[in-house]
Amino acid sequence: MISSLFLRPLWALCLSLAACSAPDRAENPPAAARAAVPAAPEIPAIPPLRTDTAGQAWVERTLAGLSLRQRVAQLVFPWISGQSASANPGEQQRMLTWVTRDEVGGLIVSTGSPGALAGKLNAAQMRAGVPLLIVSDLETGPGMRLNPGGTRMPPAMAFGAADDTALARQAGRATGAEARAVGIHLTLGPVLDVNSNPANPIINVRSFGESPERVARLGAAWLLGARETGLLSVGKHFPGHGDTNVDSHVGLPQISGDSARLAQVELAAFRGAMRAGMDGVLVGHIAAVGIEGPGAPPASLSPRMIGMLRGPMEFRGIVFTDALNMGGVTRRYSVTEASILALLAGADALLQPPGHPQVIDGIVAAVESGRIPRPRIDEAARRVLTAKAAAGLHRGARVDLGAVAGAVATDAHRELARTVAARSITLARDRANAVPLRRGARVLHVTYTDNGRGTAGGVLQRELAAGGVTAEHVRVGPATPAATFTSLRTRAAAADVVIASIAIAPFQYRSLGIGGGMPGFVEALSASGKPVVAVSLGSPYLLDAFPSVPAYLLAWDAGAAAEAAAARALLGAIPITGRLPVSLPPHHRAGEGIDRRP
């Protein structure tokens, strides 16, 4: 059923997008063209932000009781950490001030233990005049923020490699159960970017893959699972961050596709998720130069791009900006000006604006001067309140602290993470027939990280030892001296197999490249005929660094579940059945993968 969760055919969407947004087209297609388009049967969609009659009445009653300043404050979502009050009492007091003095609409929360975060959010809700909508990024499951203590799931691309909608739906359900247990109501996910550009520095494994159909199908499945627990979902990064080569935390990425390209690729995934009842869309700081031309503003501030959501895409859910402290906006605009422009463009919720009290003042002044129409504020505030009602906050916002421990990192959720990790393992090549490893083989295991330190590769090493493979383990990084690699080449000569595990994953302000002596080390060993197995614990796009490596295994993540699955695959303890959800040009095409059975 999930594969049918699309709105109109892509040609119809393309026609409507071209009519509304292409700068060189008329407002509407010619009458003859309209007459020639046959009516397409519509599959009933699940509406966003569903609430009951009592919730709707609460929204209107609450909105009627808010002043202009209070309505503006409802649109603002500042950032807090997940630390407990005892660990960071200063932040706790600031948070409570934001709730009581500024009357913000919600908070976006970062990392903390489940108990600490739940207690902190309960304290905030106790003091809120209007219940707070609590938002968080949970791309790799609840363990991304409930850390330590939550279930860490593999990233989206691992789900793409397994390509199982049932697993995606179960992961959404598990994420929702743990998030709601601690007081998180809305997640900024799923990631609906189609990762068609291997050089993309920030999306990468955060995407389900390069196929719009797969991204739509798995994204829809994930959010349907989340919906079952009451967790609201806000897909990102509209209109698509997958075909970019700039990190929007640093600068302003551009997408050059015209309306037809966007309809066929980037927007198809969003439409599928909307069809499945996605509650909101996060609009990225991305310039759609193919539609708006040179000098295009970020989509998050663009009336044309947000108008595309409300017009031809017929989306009626809540629209968030991406974080307003990111370089994609701060390099060109003040925070207050960016916030005003976002609201004028049609955004409803302002995510993470620095200095939010001044931002609220500036927006109120813009309304009072006539720059922002008052109905625009009312519309946005109504959507924020409707999201709160859809999350059930009109019935109560605090969670049962005694129930938190039993709801997070359950045996079932951890087993699900292990299952996804195992099903996602992909063997792109094995020219030396090195996988599985021979029992008793002497192995040199070299792990590369961006700083040469950390825990990456540790679980892989431990599981190999438990499986009877003795391996020497060394960590290296871009600053590792050449003499170390010279020594490693000598030690490799005495090994039967060399495992080169590489833990590189997208993160803001960080390069995805492999530096230092690691590429040359792997290439030299490969050229000598030594069996080398490169194991990706993150980005799949590593083969340009060592194109001659005879074996390439992808585990997609450096989390414990993924590393354990990689080890078991290397040991021949589990079947290898994953398929590449992205191309690795010029080395491998999407869909490739070698099956290995125990």
Side-chain angles (χ1 to χ4, degrees):
M1 288 297 295
I2 291 170
S3 62
S4 68
L5 291 170
F6 290 91
L7 286 172
R8 290 173 280 178
L10 288 178
W11 54 261
L13 173 60
C14 177
L15 182 63
S16 61
L17 290 183
C20 82
S21 60
D24 57 344
R25 300 290 180 92
E27 277 300 309
N28 293 292
R34 291 199 302 271
V37 178
E42 293 284 336
I43 299 171
I46 300 171
L49 302 178
R50 292 185 296 175
T51 187
D52 55 18
T53 302
Q56 294 168 1
W58 176 86
V59 169
E60 296 306 321
R61 185 171 63 251
T62 303
L63 183 64
L66 298 179
S67 67
L68 170 61
R69 184 180 182 83
Q70 289 171 322
R71 294 181 188 204
V72 170
Q74 283 295 302
L75 316 182
V76 173
F77 290 75
W79 178 93
I80 60 167
S81 78
Q83 291 181 304
S84 66
S86 58
N88 195 337
E91 183 190 61
Q92 181 82 357
Q93 187 54 52
R94 287 192 299 275
M95 176 192 73
L96 296 178
T97 299
W98 298 344
V99 172
T100 57
R101 182 196 69 191
D102 303 332
E103 299 181 278
V104 296
L107 301 165
I108 176 169
V109 299
S110 189
T111 306
S113 70
L117 185 56
K120 185 173 193 170
L121 296 177
N122 268 4
Q125 296 287 14
M126 285 178 64
R127 290 161 177 80
V130 177
L132 299 161
L133 184 65
I134 306 300
V135 177
S136 193
D137 276 307
L138 302 170
E139 292 177 20
T140 53
M144 180 172 177
R145 292 296 178 231
L146 306 183
N147 185 17
T151 304
R152 175 168 173 167
M153 292 288 172
M157 200 166 282
F159 286 88
D163 198 19
D164 187 325
T165 53
L167 289 179
R169 187 163 185 163
Q170 290 172 49
R173 188 183 305 124
T175 299
E178 296 191 25
R180 289 305 307 250
V182 302
I184 295 170
H185 314 120
L186 182 151
T187 185
L188 302 174
V191 174
L192 296 173
D193 302 310
V194 178
N195 202 72
S196 56
N197 185 350
N200 192 311
I202 193 61
I203 301 302
N204 199 276
V205 292
R206 299 167 67 195
S207 165
F208 290 108
E210 68 179 39
S211 159
E213 183 277 334
R214 181 175 304 195
V215 174
R217 178 165 42 80
L218 294 174
W222 190 95
L223 71 89
L224 285 169
R227 174 181 286 274
E228 292 171 18
T229 69
L231 182 68
L232 306 182
S233 57
V234 172
K236 61 186 181 186
H237 306 79
F238 184 87
H241 207 330
D243 191 13
T244 63
N245 56 14
V246 172
D247 177 0
S248 54
H249 295 89
V250 178
L252 182 62
Q254 297 184 351
I255 50 174
S256 58
D258 60 12
S259 296
R261 152 74 192 211
L262 260 65
Q264 293 168 348
V265 180
E266 282 80 8
L267 301 186
F270 285 92
R271 292 196 74 96
M274 290 174 189
R275 198 72 188 165
M278 183 169 64
D279 298 290
V281 169
L282 182 145
V283 183
H285 307 316
I286 305 160
V289 297
I291 291 178
E292 299 206 73
S300 52
L301 314 184
S302 168
R304 179 175 288 179
M305 299 311 296
I306 296 180
M308 184 184 295
L309 275 172
R310 299 300 191 199
M313 297 185 77
E314 302 174 357
F315 184 62
R316 299 296 176 258
I318 189 169
V319 172
F320 275 78
T321 69
D322 208 341
L324 290 168
N325 63 349
M326 294 168 61
V329 289
T330 59
R331 288 179 179 271
R332 294 178 60 179
Y333 308 91
S334 72
V335 178
T336 297
E337 180 65 11
S339 300
I340 290 170
L341 291 173
L343 292 172
L344 286 169
D348 304 308
L350 306 172
L351 196 63
Q352 212 168 321
H356 69 267
Q358 291 73 40
V359 170
I360 294 171
D361 289 341
I363 295 170
V364 170
V367 176
E368 292 175 339
S369 72
R371 184 181 180 192
I372 300 178
R374 174 67 179 262
R376 174 78 272 270
I377 299 298
D378 296 344
E379 175 190 47
R382 181 175 281 106
R383 281 208 185 93
V384 171
L385 291 172
T386 301
K388 294 181 180 187
L393 301 188
H394 59 299
R395 296 190 294 269
R398 283 180 281 169
V399 300
D400 179 359
L401 297 181
V404 170
V408 301
T410 65
D411 290 344
H413 294 172
R414 288 184 292 174
E415 179 59 28
L416 173 62
R418 289 190 288 267
T419 298
V420 175
R423 291 275 303 278
S424 73
I425 296 295
T426 304
L427 186 60
R429 68 168 64 159
D430 188 12
R431 297 166 183 165
N433 201 28
V435 180
L437 302 174
R438 176 174 55 82
R439 187 171 181 85
R442 296 167 300 171
V443 175
L444 173 64
H445 177 198
V446 181
T447 298
Y448 177 95
T449 66
D450 60 3
N451 60 13
R453 302 186 302 275
T455 61
V459 172
L460 174 58
Q461 175 73 7
R462 185 176 70 239
E463 293 295 321
L464 287 174
V469 171
T470 300
E472 178 188 3
H473 190 202
V474 181
R475 286 193 177 89
V476 299
T480 299
T484 299
F485 285 102
T486 300
S487 172
L488 287 173
R489 281 193 289 272
T490 301
R491 287 136 79 182
D496 298 313
V497 179
V498 174
I499 296 174
S501 60
I502 300 96
I504 297 176
F507 192 76
Q508 56 199 46
Y509 314 113
R510 183 183 297 172
S511 169
L512 282 173
I514 305 175
M518 185 68 168
F521 169 71
V522 174
E523 278 291 274
L525 291 180
S526 301
S528 73
K530 175 67 65 177
V532 181
V533 182
V535 178
S536 170
L537 303 176
S539 171
Y541 304 108
L542 304 178
L543 285 178
D544 283 347
F546 31 76
S548 302
V549 71
Y552 189 36
L553 186 80
L554 298 101
W556 312 104
D557 186 32
E563 289 200 19
R568 297 184 69 206
L570 289 168
L571 292 166
I574 59 172
I576 300 174
T577 59
R579 294 291 183 269
L580 289 173
V582 291
S583 302
L584 309 179
H587 314 287
H588 297 280
R589 294 172 296 181
E592 291 185 6
I594 301 170
D595 281 356
R596 288 285 158 82
R597 304 285 174 176

